[in-house]
């Protein structure tokens, strides 16, 4: 088991191939939702590791491994999250929160005038993000790309703690992720290549999404994600 959401089958596909200078181990590498094994919609393609002699161990992960990981976490709902005054993500039976999000309708109204007209009194804003399709992962020469299709619903949190939906947007994003080892840590550099927004539904009237799209692109342009030691 990897975590509360996913598990990996790393059993051998075949007997180890033993040669004089090395041993080949062909592992399955299929990720599935934890406790709910489901057939992957992807087909594994065979691949070979280039011959190198400068290390004792060479470990390669196929595109299929990342594709099944995306499928497992999508099926488990890992890409769905609610962002309010606290950022929360459900993980199994637990809840992880980070309190740094603090945006209200007044701030949104400075970007989208229709929101300012709808809500004269500033109310806290809640975002509901959802992946609407399985994220597509493709391996490149020095990195891999992730294609994400999703939706974002923006809601106002009223004084009685109920919410009122303001609008919903469709999101299409393309990101590149490159991995490097620095100071014995695996570091991932995430770069947003493209983000496209389209208005799916609005309770505040129709508006132009280009400005919001540009602001999100600027905010999310570059992010560096460190991992734990040895991971």
């Amino acid at each position: 088991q990897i975590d509360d959401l996913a598990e990996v089958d790393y059993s051998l596909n075949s007997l180890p191939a033993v040669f004089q200078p090395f041993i080949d181990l062909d592992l399955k590498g299929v990720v599935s939702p934890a406790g709910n094994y489901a057939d992957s919609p992807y087909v594994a393609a065979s691949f070979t590791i280039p011959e190198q002699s400068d290390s004792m161990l060479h470990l390669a992960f196929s595109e299929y491994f990342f594709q099944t990981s995306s499928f497992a976490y999508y099926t488990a709902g890992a890409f769905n999250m609610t962002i309010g005054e606290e950022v929360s993500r459900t993980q199994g039976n637990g809840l992880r929160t980070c309190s740094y999000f603090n945006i209200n309708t007044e701030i949104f109204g400075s970007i989208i005038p229709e929101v300012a007209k709808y809500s004269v009194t500033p109310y806290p804003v809640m975002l509901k993000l959802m992946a609407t399709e399985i994220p597509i992962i493709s391996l490149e020469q020095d990195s891999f790309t992730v294609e994400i299709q999703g939706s974002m619903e923006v809601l106002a949190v009223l004084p009685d703690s109920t919410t009122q939906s303001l609008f919903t947007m469709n999101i299409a994003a393309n990101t590149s992720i490159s991995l490097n080892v620095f100071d014995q840590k695996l570091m991932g550099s995430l770069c947003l290549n493209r983000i496209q927004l389209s208005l799916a539904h609005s309770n505040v009237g129709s508006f132009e999404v280009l400005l919001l799209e540009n602001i999100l692109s600027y905010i999310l342009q570059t992010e560096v994600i460190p991992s734990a030691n040895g991971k």
Side-chain angles (χ1 to χ4, degrees), residues 40-45 64 67:
S40 168
Y42 306 102
V43 177
Y64 178 76
Q67 290 171 337

Side-chain angles (χ1 to χ4, degrees), residues 4 19 40 42 53 64 83 113 117 120 122 135 140 148-150 154 171-172 175 177 199 215 219 228 230:
D4 291 341
F19 303 92
S40 168
Y42 306 102
S53 58
Y64 178 76
I83 304 176
K117 296 175 183 177
V120 178
E140 308 291 343
I148 302 171
Q149 300 284 338
V154 179
I171 302 174
T175 63
I177 302 174
L199 189 62
I215 292 174
I219 294 174

